[in-house]
Amino acid sequence: MKFMKLGSKPDTFQTDGNSIRYVASELATDVVVHVGDVMFYLHKFPLLSKSARLQKLVSSANEGNGNEINIDDIPGGASAFEVCAKFCYGMTVTLNAYNVVTTRVAAEYLEMHETVEKGNLIYKVDAFLTSSIFRSWKDSIIVLQTTKSMSPLPEELKLISHCIDAIASKASVDVSKVDWSYTYNRKKIADENGNDPSWNGIRNRTVPSDWWVEDLCELEIDLFKRVIMTIESKEVVSNEVIGEALKAYAYRKLPGSGKNVIQQNDLAKFRNILDTIVWLLPAEKGSVSCSFLFKLLKAAISANSAETVKVELVKRIGHQLEEAYVNDLLIRASEGEETMYDVHVVKKILEEFMTQDEIAETEIENGGEIQEIRRPGILSEASKLMVAKLIDGYLAEIAKDPNLPLSLFTGIAEMVSSCSRPGHDALYRAIDTYLKVHPGISKSDRKRICRLMDCKKLSADACMHAVQNERLPLRVVVQVLFFEQVRASASSGSSTPDLPKAIKDLNCGSYGSSRSATTHTDEDWDAVASAEELRALRGELAALRLGNGVVQDRNGGESKISNSDRDRAAIGKMKGLIMSKRIFSKIWSNKAAQAENSGSDSSESLGSANHDEVKSTPTRKKNAKRAENGKNSRKSLSSKCYTVPTPPSSAVQMKETKDGTKTDSYPIILNLDEFKGDFSFDALFGKLVYQILPSCLEEETDAYEGFGINDAVPHGHMRTHSEAGKFTQVISSPLFPEVDALLSLFKNSGTQLIDLRKQIDGKLYNLKKEVATQDSKHRKTLSELEKGVAGLFDSFARLDSRISSVGQTAAKIGDHLQNADTQRETASQTIDLIKYLMEFNSSPGDLMELSPLFSDDSRVAEAASIAQKLRLFAEEDPGRQSMAVSSVVGNVTASKGLEVAVGNLQEYCNELENKLLSRFDAASQKKDLSSMAECAKILLQFNRGTSVMQHYVGLRPMFDLEVMNSDVQVVLGDPGSQPIPSNTALGLSSLYKEITDTVRKEAATITAVFPFPNDVMSILVQRVLEDRVPNLLEKLLLKPSIANPPAKEEGGLILYLRMLAVAYEKTLELSKDLRNVGCGDLDVEGLTESLFLPHKDTYIEYEKVSLRQLNKAKMEELGIEIQQTSESRGTIGRSRGASIASSQHQMSVTVVADFVHWNEEAISRCTLFSSQQATLAANVRGVFTCLLKQVSQYITDGLERARESLTDAAASRERFVLGTSVGRRVAGATSIGETAAAAGESSFKSFMLALQQCGSSVAIVQQYFAKSISQLLLPVEGAHAAACEEMASAMSSAESAAQKGLQQCIETVMAEVERLQSAEQKATDFRSSDDGIGPDHRPTNACTRVISYLSRVLEAAFNALEGLNKQAFLTELGNRLHKGLMNHWEKFTFNWSGGLQLKRDITDYADFVRNFNAPTVDEKFESMGILANVFIVAPESLSSLFEGTPSIKSDAKRFIQLRDDYKSAKLASKLASLWSS
C-alpha cells in the first residue's frame, strides 16, 4: 500500500478522555474547535495560516467576544480534522488509501488552498493521489470504497471519476504488462494447476485476461456499474471478460435465489443489483454462459423483478438456448401455481429461439414488378438438434408433475417438431412418463400425445419396451411392430429400398443391425420377456457362437466380443424377429405387400416326417418368394460359391462348384481372398440360416395353429405367462435340430480367423514400420525446407532494407534539388530587387529615371509589392555609411548609404497610395465593386491595408455629424419634455435596428471588396461603439448628484436609474446583433461594458439613495393625507370620534406593497448590471437592507401610533378611578367611566387592526425574500444566512412594539372587567335572603356583562393574531382573568345559595375561556369550580372535599373564611387539623 508522510515535528496531540484533545505546548491555547462531541484546544496562528474557513469563523467569534467555533458538519468528523490540524502544526501525518479521501474533503471544507499558503494540504494530497494512489491497483479500489460514506463531496471534487478512470485504465492494459498484485482465487484451469509441468508453487503462469474481476467485486453496485461502463467505453476488454466480471459479482453479491433466503429489507437491494447486472450484460451473443443467464432469470422470478428484466433475460437465453442443460430449464413455479415448474417461461424462451429461424419475406418493386426475396433462418441444424434433445429431456422431467396439463406438454413438444433428430427415444421416455403419472387421461389424449413421436426413429430397446407397454394405444404398438419387422429383415440382409434414411442409419452398428448397440436393462424399460421367446432364442444363440469370439465388421476392422455380449445380441435379435413374425402372421396374414422384409429359400419343412413329401401352403410360397428376393438383393461375397452340405436329417442336396464338380464334403474351405472387399458376416450367416430357418418357422406356425395358441389377444396385448407355460408343454423338442449338424462346419473357422488376424497384424506392423521410416525422411526434408525458406526470407529482408535505404537517399536528393531551385529563384528575385534599389538610391527626389515597372498602370500591384519590399529592406539600417552592393550590371558602392533610397521609396509609396485611394473613391461613388476590390487588394501592400480600411469606414454616411445629432431627437422626442423610460426603450430599439441594418448592408459590400472582410467589419463596428453610440449615451444619461439629487417632480434619481437600465439593456442587444452580423475578433461585449463603466461603478449608491428618496416622498404624502383628514374633521377631542379619527392613521398593506415593488425593480437592475455572483449578492443585500429598514420603520411607527391610543385610554381610566376614589356621587364620575370604557374598547380594536396589518406586511416581505432574494443569495456562501439575520434584526423593533401593545391590551381589558364587576356585582348576589324561594339558575348581571364585553373585544384579537402569538396572548389573558375573578370574589360573603350562584358564574366563565384553547387556563377554571363547593357543602363535609384535590387547599382556606357561618360554626377550630396536615 502506498503512503506519504507530511511534516517533520513530533506528534504532541494528547487526549483527555474521549471528548477533549489538546496540543502539549508551553503556550496557552486561544481557540476551542467543536467537532461533534469532541473539543480541540488549539492555537489560532498555525490554524489560520493555512485555513481560510477557520479565518472567517474565528473572525466571527471575535466579534461576539468568544473564542469557540463549531464545525460539526466537517466531512470525516473529528479524525479528519485532527489530521488537518496536525498538518497546520507541521506534525508528522501519514496519508494512505484509507484516510486520503477524508483528508482531502476535510481540507476542501477548511479551504486549505494554495491561495492561502503555498504547499498547502490540498496541493499535497492531490499530488499524492496523482503520483501514487491512482497508479496503484488496489489503492485505487480502496479509495473508491471510502468515497461512499462521504457523498457528494468526493463527486464534486472529481475524486470518484479519477478513481474510476484509473481502475478502468489498469483493467484495460494488455495482460503481458500486468506486474502488480491482484486477487485471483477462483478454481484454476488445467494449465494453471498441478497438471502444468511448469507449475512449482510460484505464480509464473501468464496473467489471465480476467485478473481484475475479483477485486472489483468488493465495490458497491453503483460504483461497480460506473467502473464496468468506463471499461466498456475504452473498447479494449473483450465482452467475454466483461461477462465473467458480471458473473463473479453476481455470485458474490446475490444470495440464494429463494425468497425465504432473501430478507425483506434486502429485497430492494437484491433487485437493484440484479437489474444492474442485467443492464450491464454485453449485447453480443456468448458473452456469458446460458446457465448463468438461467440463474439470473430464476433470481429475477424469485425476487419479482420488473417485467422488462425478465423479458430481456428470456430474449438472451433464447438466442443461445443450445448451450443450456435440462437442469437449467427446471424453474420452480411461483407460489400459488398448480404446476411444479414454470413451464410458461420455458415456452417463451423456446419461442424466442424458434423466431430466429423464421423466414423473412420482402417485397421489392423493380420495374413495375413485385419480387419476393426469401432469407433463410440463422439457426444451424446442429443447434436445432441440440435444442430438440434438450427439450426431450425437459419433457421427461416435467412429465413427472401430476398437475401438468396435456396442452402445455404437447405445446412445448410441437414447438420443436420441425427440428429433425435421428432418434425419438428420449421423447418416447417423456411420453411414457407422462402416461404413467397421468393414468386417467382419455383415449383421444393418449393418441394425441403419441402423435408427437415417430415410431420409425425408435431404437431397438425402445421398440422392445414399446411393444410390451400396456399404456400405449394399440395403433402405436402395431406401428412399432411393423417398423421393427422392417428393421429386423433389413438387419438380416434384405434390401430396404423404401425405408427412410433415418431408419437405414440405425442399421449401421456391429453385425449390421440396430441391435448391436448396447441395450437398456429390463428395469429401465419396465419389460418382461416371455418364457416362450427366451426358449426360441436358444437355437439362434448356438448358431452365433460358431464365430468363436472373433467377428469382422463391415469396415474391415476387428472387434472382440464376449460370450455374454453375443448372447445378449442374439437374444435381442431373434426375440424381435420371432415376436414380430408371430404377431404379423396373425394381423396381416392377407397383406402380401407387407412381407417383403423376411426371407427364406427353403421350399420344404424340416419338421415333416416324410422328406419326399413337399408341403405347399400359401405361407411356404411366400417364404420361398422372400428367399428368392433376398438372394437377388444381397451382394455376392466373392466369385467362389460356398458349398453347404445337407444335414443328415434332411435330404442331401449337392451343389456345383466353379469347375462343375459336385461335393458333399464339409467344413467350408475359407481362404484370405474371400474376406476382402465387401465381405459381410451377416450376409454369410443369413445365407446359411435362410436355407434352414423358413422350414422351422413354418413348423412352429403349424404347431401354433394345431394347438390353437395365439400370441396376440384382443386389444393387442401380449400373451400372459400362464399361456406361455401351456405352450412350453406342447413344444418340447429343440427349435433348430439341424443347427447341431452345422457345428462341424464351423469347427475350424475360429482357428482360421485367428491365423488370418495374425497375417493382417503382421502386414499392419510392416506398414507401420515403413510409414515411420517415410515419416522420419519427410520430417528431415521438411526441416531442410524450412531452413531454406528462412534463409530466403532473410535475403528478402536485406533486399527490402536496401530498397528502403535507396528510397530514402532518393528522397533526400529530391529535397536538395527542390531547395536548390528555391534558392536559385530567390537569388534571381534578390538580384532584381537590388537593381531596383540602386535606381531609387541614385539621386534624391529624381523618380523620372525609374524602370517602366513603376510607371506602368497595368503593373501597379507588382510595383507596390516591390516598393514595399525595398522600403522594408532599406529601413533596416539607414545609418550605415558604406555598403557594397553587387549587381549583374557591375559593382556600385553606395558611399552615402541608403538614406536616399529610403526617402525616394517613401515618397513613391505615398504617391502610389494616394493615387490608389483616389481611384478607390471614384470606384466607390460609381459602386464599381470589382475596381474597388482591385484597389483594395493592391493597397493591402501598404500597412496591411489599414489606410484603405480606415478610409472606407470614415466615409460612411452613418458617421456624419448631422446623423449622430439626430439620434437624440429620435430617441427622446421633444427636447423640452421629461423623458419616459418606456418611450426611450422604443426609440432606442428603432435606432439600434436602423444601425444594425446599415451595418448588415455594409457587410455585403465589404465582403465583396476587401480581401480580409473581418478586419474591416471590426473597424466598422468599433467605430459604431466608440463614436455613434457614446455620442447618444452622453446626451441620454445625465448623471445627477447624490448629494443634491433632483426633486421627485423632476423625476428624481429613479428616472436616471430607469433610463440607465433601458440604455444598457438595449445597447447589449445591439452588441449581440452586431456580433451576429460579423465583427471579426473585436470584443464587442467588452466595448459595450466600457461605455457604461462610469455609471456602473457608483450605481449601487444611486440605487440606495433613490429608495430612500422614494420612501421619504411616500411618507410625506401619507403625512399630508393624515393632516388633511384631521383638518376636515376639526377638533374632536378625546371622545369616541377621536378614536375613530386615530383609526384612519392605521398602517396600510398597500404602502408596504409599494416598498416591495420599488425594491423588486431595484433588484432587477442589480441583476442586469452585476455579472459576477459575489458582486450581485453584495448589491442585492444592500438593496434588500433598505427595504427592511423602510418596512421596519413604517410598521413600528404604525404600532406606536396604535399604542398611543391605548395610552390615552389608560389616562382616561385613571381619571375615572380618581373620581370614584373621592366618592361615588361626584358629578360626572359615571360619564367619565363610560367614556374611558369606550375609548379602551376602541383603542383595543385599533391596535389589533394595526397588528393584523403588521403581520400581513411582514408576510409580504418574507414571501418576497423567499421567491426573489434567496435565489440570488444562495450561490454565494454566507450571503443568505447574513440576509436572514438582518431581516430578523430589522423586525425586532416591530416585535418589541407589538409585545408592549399586547400587554397594554391585556391591561385595558382587565381594567374594564374590574370596572364592570365593581359596578354590577351586588353583595346580595351571593347572600340571598332565606325566604323559601329557590336559588336563581341564571348568572349574575356582572358575569353577563363581563362575558359580553370580552366576546366583543376578543373578536378583533382572534382575527388579528394567529399561531403561537395568539396562544400566548389568550393564555396570558386567561390567567389574568382567573386572578382578577379570585380577587373580586374575596370581597364578598357567601351562604349556601350564594355558593350555587357563584358556581353558575364560574361555569359560564369556564365555558367562555374554553374558546381560548389554553389547557392550563381550563385547568385553573375547573379548579375554581371545585373551590366553589366550599360554600355549598355542610361544615362536617368540608374535610372530605379536598381528598381528591389537595392542590386547592391554600385557596380553599381563604374561601372558607368567606362563609357566613364561618364563625358561628367554629370552622377554624374544626379544620385546623386539615390545614396542618
Side-chain angles (χ1 to χ4, degrees):
M1 179 182 292
K2 304 290 185 181
F3 67 92
M4 181 176 71
K5 287 189 176 182
L6 302 177
S8 57
K9 297 180 181 179
D11 186 358
T12 57
F13 264 72
Q14 297 185 8
T15 301
D16 187 2
N18 295 327
S19 60
I20 297 177
R21 300 178 189 177
Y22 61 94
V23 178
S25 173
E26 297 178 355
L27 298 176
T29 59
D30 51 5
V31 63
V32 180
V33 182
H34 293 267
V35 183
D37 297 333
V38 182
M39 293 186 295
F40 291 86
Y41 291 84
L42 306 173
H43 303 85
K44 292 181 181 179
F45 176 73
L47 298 179
L48 304 188
S49 63
K50 291 181 172 60
S51 173
R53 189 182 187 91
L54 291 179
Q55 293 175 8
K56 300 173 187 176
L57 294 175
V58 170
S59 177
S60 301
N62 291 338
E63 293 177 1
N65 297 324
N67 62 345
E68 296 187 6
I69 58 177
N70 194 316
I71 52 174
D72 289 337
D73 55 343
I74 182 172
S79 59
F81 175 74
E82 184 175 347
V83 173
C84 297
K86 289 181 180 179
F87 174 79
C88 294
Y89 278 93
M91 299 178 186
T92 302
V93 177
T94 301
L95 296 180
N96 53 43
Y98 290 100
N99 65 358
V100 66
V101 174
T102 57
T103 304
R104 176 63 178 86
V105 296
E108 185 70 27
Y109 174 86
L110 296 174
E111 300 177 13
M112 303 176 73
H113 300 284
E114 288 294 282
T115 55
V116 181
E117 183 177 279
K118 292 293 183 181
N120 214 336
L121 183 56
I122 291 179
Y123 169 76
K124 293 191 175 183
V125 172
D126 288 343
F128 176 54
L129 287 169
T130 305
S131 62
S132 298
I133 295 296
F134 293 152
R135 294 185 180 182
S136 172
W137 167 250
K138 290 196 173 181
D139 286 350
S140 299
I141 295 177
I142 294 172
V143 168
L144 186 59
Q145 288 175 304
T146 59
T147 59
K148 186 67 177 178
S149 60
M150 288 174 288
S151 181
L153 277 176
E155 189 69 62
E156 296 174 358
L157 298 176
K158 297 185 178 180
L159 293 177
I160 296 179
S161 60
H162 289 328
C163 279
I164 291 174
D165 288 339
I167 294 171
S169 299
K170 285 191 174 294
S172 302
V173 301
D174 189 81
V175 294
S176 61
K177 300 179 181 179
V178 176
D179 55 359
W180 51 82
S181 62
Y182 55 86
T183 304
Y184 195 76
N185 294 325
R186 281 167 290 165
K187 186 177 180 181
K188 299 178 178 62
I189 57 178
D191 60 349
E192 293 178 341
N193 57 19
N195 296 334
D196 187 0
S198 64
W199 175 258
N200 56 2
I202 303 175
R203 179 159 62 93
N204 56 3
R205 66 185 185 279
T206 58
V207 178
S209 59
D210 57 346
W211 61 267
W212 48 270
V213 166
E214 291 188 24
D215 288 324
L216 294 190
C217 291
E218 302 296 332
L219 299 176
E220 294 296 329
I221 185 61
D222 52 346
L223 297 176
F224 179 78
K225 175 182 177 182
R226 294 179 60 180
V227 172
I228 293 297
M229 292 174 63
T230 306
I231 293 175
E232 287 180 335
S233 65
K234 295 182 180 296
E235 298 181 353
V236 175
V237 179
S238 64
N239 292 317
E240 289 76 11
V241 177
I242 297 293
E244 184 65 24
L246 298 176
K247 182 178 178 180
Y249 192 86
Y251 287 159
R252 179 75 63 87
K253 295 294 184 180
L254 296 180
S257 59
K259 281 190 177 180
N260 53 347
V261 179
I262 307 170
Q263 300 295 331
Q264 187 62 31
N265 53 356
D266 293 337
L267 189 57
K269 181 180 179 182
F270 184 92
R271 289 175 184 162
N272 182 32
I273 295 175
L274 183 62
D275 295 352
T276 304
I277 291 175
V278 174
W279 187 83
L280 289 174
L281 288 174
E284 287 74 9
K285 176 181 176 181
S287 301
V288 294
S289 65
C290 190
S291 296
F292 176 61
L293 292 175
F294 266 109
K295 291 178 181 178
L296 292 179
L297 179 59
K298 292 176 182 178
I301 294 174
S302 174
N304 196 18
S305 296
E307 195 64 29
T308 54
V309 176
K310 300 176 186 176
V311 171
E312 177 65 20
L313 289 173
V314 167
K315 182 178 179 181
R316 287 178 177 272
I317 294 172
H319 287 177
Q320 53 190 97
L321 184 58
E322 65 273 11
E323 303 173 9
Y325 298 95
V326 174
N327 288 336
D328 296 333
L329 296 176
L330 297 178
I331 303 173
R332 286 287 178 180
S334 304
E335 296 180 2
E337 296 288 338
E338 294 182 356
T339 57
M340 184 185 307
Y341 300 106
D342 194 341
V343 184
H344 297 283
V345 173
V346 177
K347 190 173 182 181
K348 293 178 182 177
I349 295 172
L350 194 55
E351 289 175 353
E352 188 66 34
F353 174 80
M354 298 305 296
T355 53
Q356 300 177 81
D357 204 41
E358 292 180 354
I359 298 177
E361 298 183 1
T362 307
E363 292 186 355
I364 301 177
E365 186 173 354
N366 185 11
E369 296 181 357
I370 302 297
Q371 297 181 353
E372 184 180 275
I373 296 179
R374 289 184 172 267
R375 177 175 56 84
I378 62 174
L379 292 178
S380 63
E381 292 299 325
S383 297
K384 294 180 184 178
L385 180 58
M386 293 171 68
V387 171
K389 291 183 177 179
L390 174 69
I391 295 301
D392 289 346
Y394 175 70
L395 289 173
E397 291 296 329
I398 65 174
K400 301 174 183 178
D401 183 4
N403 296 323
L404 180 67
L406 179 63
S407 57
L408 283 179
F409 185 90
T410 56
I412 292 180
E414 288 171 354
M415 293 180 70
V416 294
S417 60
S418 60
C419 303
S420 178
R421 45 202 188 274
H424 278 204
D425 284 12
L427 181 58
Y428 167 67
R429 183 188 297 275
I431 294 173
D432 181 54
T433 304
Y434 189 87
L435 294 176
K436 184 188 301 181
V437 177
H438 302 79
I441 64 173
S442 63
K443 183 177 180 180
S444 59
D445 289 339
R446 291 176 182 270
K447 291 182 179 180
R448 177 185 174 189
I449 194 173
C450 289
R451 291 195 197 101
L452 299 174
M453 66 176 177
D454 187 354
C455 298
K456 297 187 298 292
K457 296 186 178 182
L458 295 179
S459 67
D461 298 324
C463 290
M464 288 288 292
H465 184 273
V467 296
Q468 302 176 67
N469 193 343
E470 298 180 356
R471 293 180 288 272
L472 297 179
L474 176 61
R475 182 179 180 86
V476 176
V477 175
V478 170
Q479 290 178 356
V480 171
L481 290 172
F482 169 73
F483 291 114
E484 181 62 17
Q485 169 69 12
V486 172
R487 185 160 47 199
S489 300
S491 67
S492 63
S494 298
S495 62
T496 56
D498 57 340
L499 292 178
K501 182 179 181 297
I503 290 182
K504 292 181 179 180
D505 292 340
L506 292 174
N507 302 325
C508 59
S510 300
Y511 304 110
S513 172
S514 62
R515 283 173 175 73
S516 63
T518 302
T519 61
H520 295 279
T521 62
D522 293 342
E523 290 79 4
D524 291 339
W525 297 105
D526 298 332
V528 179
S530 63
E532 302 93 317
E533 294 167 347
L534 293 176
R535 187 174 59 256
L537 292 175
R538 292 193 183 115
E540 174 68 4
L541 183 59
L544 288 176
R545 285 176 179 169
L546 292 177
N548 201 17
V550 180
V551 185
Q552 186 173 15
D553 61 13
R554 291 185 180 182
N555 296 324
E558 296 175 353
S559 61
K560 293 185 178 180
I561 58 175
S562 64
N563 292 334
S564 60
D565 292 337
R566 283 195 305 275
D567 293 348
R568 282 196 297 269
I571 291 171
K573 181 175 181 181
M574 296 306 299
K575 187 177 180 182
L577 179 61
I578 296 172
M579 181 173 59
S580 300
K581 287 191 174 184
R582 286 174 186 169
I583 297 179
F584 275 102
S585 64
K586 296 298 180 182
I587 297 178
W588 290 304
S589 58
N590 296 324
K591 297 181 180 179
Q594 302 293 334
E596 296 176 3
N597 292 323
S598 63
S600 176
D601 54 1
S602 177
S603 59
E604 59 183 13
S605 175
L606 298 178
S608 177
N610 187 1
H611 298 287
D612 298 330
E613 179 183 358
V614 179
K615 202 173 185 181
S616 179
T617 63
T619 303
R620 187 175 294 109
K621 291 180 179 180
K622 285 185 280 186
N623 288 335
K625 184 178 182 180
R626 284 198 299 269
E628 186 64 24
N629 291 337
K631 292 179 182 179
N632 295 333
S633 61
R634 287 192 296 268
K635 292 183 179 180
S636 176
L637 295 176
S638 64
S639 58
K640 293 180 68 178
C641 295
Y642 293 105
T643 302
V644 183
T646 305
S649 58
S650 61
V652 178
Q653 297 180 2
M654 307 303 289
K655 300 291 182 178
E656 290 185 1
T657 60
K658 275 186 176 183
D659 54 3
T661 62
K662 295 183 179 181
T663 178
D664 56 354
S665 62
Y666 55 89
I668 299 176
I669 303 302
L670 300 174
N671 75 44
L672 182 62
D673 295 334
E674 293 166 353
F675 290 92
K676 294 181 180 179
D678 296 333
F679 171 76
S680 172
F681 182 80
D682 286 342
L684 174 62
F685 183 78
K687 181 178 180 180
L688 299 175
V689 172
Y690 273 123
Q691 298 178 8
I692 304 169
L693 182 60
S695 61
C696 177
L697 293 178
E698 290 293 340
E699 291 175 0
E700 181 188 11
T701 303
D702 294 339
Y704 291 166
E705 293 174 355
F707 287 98
I709 297 174
N710 191 354
D711 263 354
V713 295
H715 307 293
H717 293 289
M718 300 300 294
R719 184 186 298 109
T720 62
H721 291 289
S722 60
E723 294 170 346
K726 296 177 182 179
F727 180 68
T728 305
Q729 297 174 2
V730 175
I731 303 175
S732 58
S733 61
L735 181 61
F736 296 109
E738 293 83 357
V739 172
D740 295 333
L742 294 175
L743 289 176
S744 58
L745 297 178
F746 296 97
K747 182 183 298 183
N748 297 323
S749 59
T751 304
Q752 295 180 19
L753 289 173
I754 291 173
D755 295 339
L756 180 63
R757 178 180 177 183
K758 289 180 180 179
Q759 296 177 25
I760 294 173
D761 288 341
K763 290 187 177 182
L764 285 175
Y765 175 77
N766 294 332
L767 287 174
K768 289 180 181 179
K769 188 175 180 180
E770 184 179 357
V771 168
T773 303
Q774 295 296 329
D775 182 66
S776 176
K777 293 180 180 179
H778 173 73
R779 290 178 183 276
K780 184 176 180 180
T781 305
L782 186 61
S783 177
E784 294 175 354
L785 288 176
E786 288 178 351
K787 291 180 181 179
V789 170
L792 183 62
F793 277 130
D794 292 339
S795 301
F796 276 118
R798 289 192 297 272
L799 179 61
D800 182 70
S801 177
R802 292 179 182 178
I803 292 174
S804 177
S805 177
V806 171
Q808 292 177 359
T809 304
K812 292 180 180 179
I813 294 173
D815 292 339
H816 287 312
L817 291 176
Q818 186 176 1
N819 293 335
D821 184 70
T822 303
Q823 292 175 359
R824 182 189 61 77
E825 185 177 355
T826 303
S828 176
Q829 294 177 358
T830 304
I831 292 173
D832 294 338
L833 289 175
I834 292 173
K835 175 183 176 182
Y836 295 142
L837 181 63
M838 296 308 300
E839 292 179 1
F840 278 101
N841 198 44
S842 59
S843 60
D846 187 8
L847 303 178
M848 301 300 296
E849 298 181 358
L850 296 176
S851 299
L853 169 67
F854 299 101
S855 58
D856 189 356
D857 290 342
S858 62
R859 302 177 65 185
V860 173
E862 183 181 358
S865 176
I866 293 176
Q868 286 296 325
K869 292 179 181 179
L870 293 175
R871 190 175 70 172
L872 292 175
F873 175 74
E875 288 177 350
E876 285 182 358
D877 190 6
R880 286 183 298 178
Q881 299 298 324
S882 178
M883 174 182 288
V885 182
S886 299
S887 65
V888 294
V889 180
N891 295 331
V892 180
T893 302
S895 59
K896 295 184 180 181
L898 297 178
E899 292 86 349
V900 176
V902 170
N904 291 336
L905 285 169
Q906 186 65 42
E907 182 180 355
Y908 175 76
C909 289
N910 291 338
E911 290 180 1
L912 182 60
E913 185 176 4
N914 292 332
K915 180 179 178 180
L916 290 172
L917 288 176
S918 299
R919 187 182 301 177
F920 182 85
D921 291 340
S924 177
Q925 292 177 358
K926 298 178 182 178
K927 296 183 178 181
D928 186 0
L929 299 182
S930 60
S931 300
M932 292 173 64
E934 183 179 356
C935 295
K937 185 176 180 180
I938 299 173
L939 287 170
L940 193 64
Q941 305 292 334
F942 302 96
N943 297 326
R944 295 184 57 82
T946 305
S947 58
V948 67
M949 297 178 189
Q950 297 284 1
H951 182 75
Y952 174 80
V953 172
L955 294 179
R956 296 304 92 201
M958 64 184 301
F959 299 114
D960 291 345
L961 188 60
E962 295 179 357
V963 175
M964 290 194 294
N965 291 335
S966 64
D967 291 344
V968 180
Q969 187 175 0
V970 171
V971 174
L972 296 179
D974 188 4
S977 61
Q978 182 176 327
I980 301 174
S982 59
N983 295 338
T984 303
L986 295 175
L988 282 174
S989 298
S990 177
L991 176 63
Y992 286 166
K993 184 178 183 302
E994 179 185 348
I995 293 175
T996 304
D997 293 340
T998 304
V999 172
R1000 186 176 286 107
K1001 292 179 182 178
E1002 292 294 341
T1005 303
I1006 290 171
T1007 304
V1009 170
F1010 291 95
F1012 302 101
N1014 288 337
D1015 296 341
V1016 185
M1017 288 300 299
S1018 177
I1019 297 172
L1020 176 63
V1021 173
Q1022 184 177 1
R1023 184 74 179 274
V1024 170
L1025 295 178
E1026 290 182 350
D1027 287 351
R1028 188 164 183 179
V1029 174
N1031 180 69
L1032 172 63
L1033 295 179
E1034 184 179 356
K1035 299 175 182 178
L1036 187 64
L1037 301 176
L1038 300 177
K1039 195 172 185 180
S1041 172
I1042 295 181
N1044 188 19
K1048 181 181 178 183
E1049 293 77 10
E1050 299 176 1
L1053 291 178
I1054 189 64
L1055 177 62
Y1056 161 72
L1057 292 173
R1058 288 172 177 170
M1059 295 291 288
L1060 176 62
V1062 168
Y1064 182 74
E1065 186 176 5
K1066 296 301 178 183
T1067 307
L1068 282 180
E1069 293 178 1
L1070 173 64
S1071 65
K1072 293 179 181 178
D1073 293 338
L1074 294 177
R1075 165 67 68 187
N1076 295 332
V1077 172
C1079 57
D1081 297 332
L1082 182 65
D1083 185 9
V1084 181
E1085 291 76 10
L1087 279 176
T1088 305
E1089 292 292 335
S1090 65
L1091 296 177
F1092 293 90
L1093 198 59
H1095 300 276
K1096 292 173 65 175
D1097 288 342
T1098 57
Y1099 152 73
I1100 194 63
E1101 298 300 329
Y1102 278 87
E1103 198 69 75
K1104 294 178 181 178
V1105 174
S1106 173
L1107 291 174
R1108 289 195 291 269
Q1109 186 182 33
L1110 291 173
N1111 179 68
K1112 181 180 178 182
K1114 188 67 175 180
M1115 293 298 101
E1116 291 176 354
E1117 181 182 347
L1118 293 176
I1120 293 173
E1121 291 180 1
I1122 293 172
Q1123 184 178 1
Q1124 291 176 353
T1125 304
S1126 300
E1127 291 177 355
S1128 64
R1129 293 182 177 275
T1131 304
I1132 300 176
R1134 297 183 180 276
S1135 62
R1136 183 182 297 272
S1139 299
I1140 295 174
S1142 66
S1143 67
Q1144 302 296 327
H1145 304 165
Q1146 291 288 349
M1147 69 183 75
S1148 173
V1149 179
T1150 307
V1151 176
V1152 177
D1154 291 339
F1155 291 163
V1156 173
H1157 174 70
W1158 297 333
N1159 199 268
E1160 190 173 11
E1161 183 182 346
I1163 293 296
S1164 66
R1165 287 192 289 270
C1166 289
T1167 307
L1168 181 64
F1169 292 134
S1170 304
S1171 57
Q1172 297 181 354
Q1173 289 287 351
T1175 306
L1176 175 61
N1179 293 342
V1180 168
R1181 278 187 59 190
V1183 172
F1184 184 64
T1185 303
C1186 292
L1187 173 65
L1188 293 177
K1189 292 180 180 178
Q1190 294 170 2
V1191 174
S1192 175
Q1193 184 65 36
Y1194 177 68
I1195 62 178
T1196 303
D1197 292 344
L1199 292 174
E1200 291 295 339
R1201 286 195 301 271
R1203 283 185 59 210
E1204 289 177 3
S1205 63
L1206 292 172
T1207 305
D1208 293 342
S1212 178
R1213 289 196 307 274
E1214 291 294 334
R1215 289 194 295 274
F1216 168 72
V1217 172
L1218 181 62
T1220 55
S1221 64
V1222 176
R1224 291 186 180 276
R1225 294 184 178 180
V1226 176
T1230 303
S1231 176
I1232 293 174
E1234 294 293 337
T1235 303
E1241 184 174 351
S1242 177
S1243 61
F1244 180 90
K1245 294 180 179 180
S1246 177
F1247 183 81
M1248 287 299 172
L1249 179 61
L1251 198 61
Q1252 184 178 5
Q1253 297 292 329
C1254 174
S1256 301
S1257 301
V1258 173
I1260 291 175
V1261 175
Q1262 291 176 341
Q1263 185 178 9
Y1264 168 62
F1265 176 79
K1267 288 186 176 181
S1268 301
I1269 303 301
S1270 62
Q1271 303 298 325
L1272 300 174
L1273 298 180
L1274 282 174
V1276 179
E1277 185 177 1
H1280 185 270
C1284 292
E1285 293 178 0
E1286 291 174 357
M1287 185 164 57
S1289 176
M1291 296 303 169
S1292 60
S1293 60
E1295 291 177 359
S1296 177
Q1299 293 292 339
K1300 294 177 181 178
L1302 289 173
Q1303 193 63 36
Q1304 286 181 295
C1305 287
I1306 293 175
E1307 296 294 339
T1308 300
V1309 171
M1310 290 309 302
E1312 178 61 17
V1313 169
E1314 291 177 3
R1315 187 191 72 81
L1316 290 174
Q1317 287 177 335
S1318 300
E1320 300 297 334
Q1321 198 78 65
K1322 299 177 182 179
T1324 58
D1325 289 342
F1326 304 115
R1327 289 188 65 187
S1328 59
S1329 58
D1330 192 7
D1331 52 4
I1333 301 175
D1336 191 358
H1337 294 289
R1338 294 175 298 173
T1340 61
N1341 191 35
C1343 176
T1344 304
R1345 290 287 302 275
V1346 168
I1347 292 176
S1348 177
Y1349 169 73
L1350 291 175
S1351 299
R1352 289 198 312 272
V1353 297
L1354 292 184
E1355 183 179 359
F1358 287 148
N1359 295 330
L1361 299 174
E1362 58 184 11
L1364 296 177
N1365 295 329
K1366 179 179 179 181
Q1367 185 178 2
F1369 174 77
L1370 294 176
T1371 301
E1372 179 66 20
L1373 180 60
N1375 292 332
R1376 289 289 301 275
L1377 179 61
H1378 173 267
K1379 184 178 180 181
L1381 292 174
M1382 294 287 288
N1383 294 335
H1384 169 68
W1385 286 327
E1386 287 182 2
K1387 301 174 183 178
F1388 299 92
T1389 302
F1390 299 84
N1391 59 7
W1392 70 271
S1393 61
L1396 292 175
Q1397 188 63 51
L1398 176 63
K1399 195 169 183 66
R1400 175 61 185 174
D1401 288 355
I1402 292 174
T1403 301
D1404 285 2
Y1405 282 124
D1407 291 341
F1408 176 74
V1409 299
R1410 198 169 287 113
N1411 297 325
F1412 292 2
N1413 291 327
T1416 57
V1417 177
D1418 294 340
E1419 292 176 1
K1420 289 185 177 182
F1421 275 86
E1422 288 177 3
S1423 301
M1424 187 187 296
I1426 298 173
L1427 191 62
N1429 292 329
V1430 301
F1431 303 117
I1432 301 173
V1433 301
E1436 58 273 10
S1437 302
L1438 286 175
S1439 59
S1440 63
L1441 186 63
F1442 311 110
E1443 292 179 357
T1445 55
S1447 60
I1448 64 173
K1449 280 186 180 182
S1450 58
D1451 293 331
K1453 184 177 181 181
R1454 292 186 289 110
F1455 267 60
I1456 288 175
Q1457 297 176 9
L1458 302 178
R1459 287 177 61 115
D1460 57 353
D1461 59 348
Y1462 180 75
K1463 294 181 179 180
S1464 61
K1466 298 179 181 183
L1467 296 178
S1469 60
K1470 292 181 179 180
L1471 298 177
S1473 61
L1474 178 63
W1475 308 136
S1476 62
S1477 62

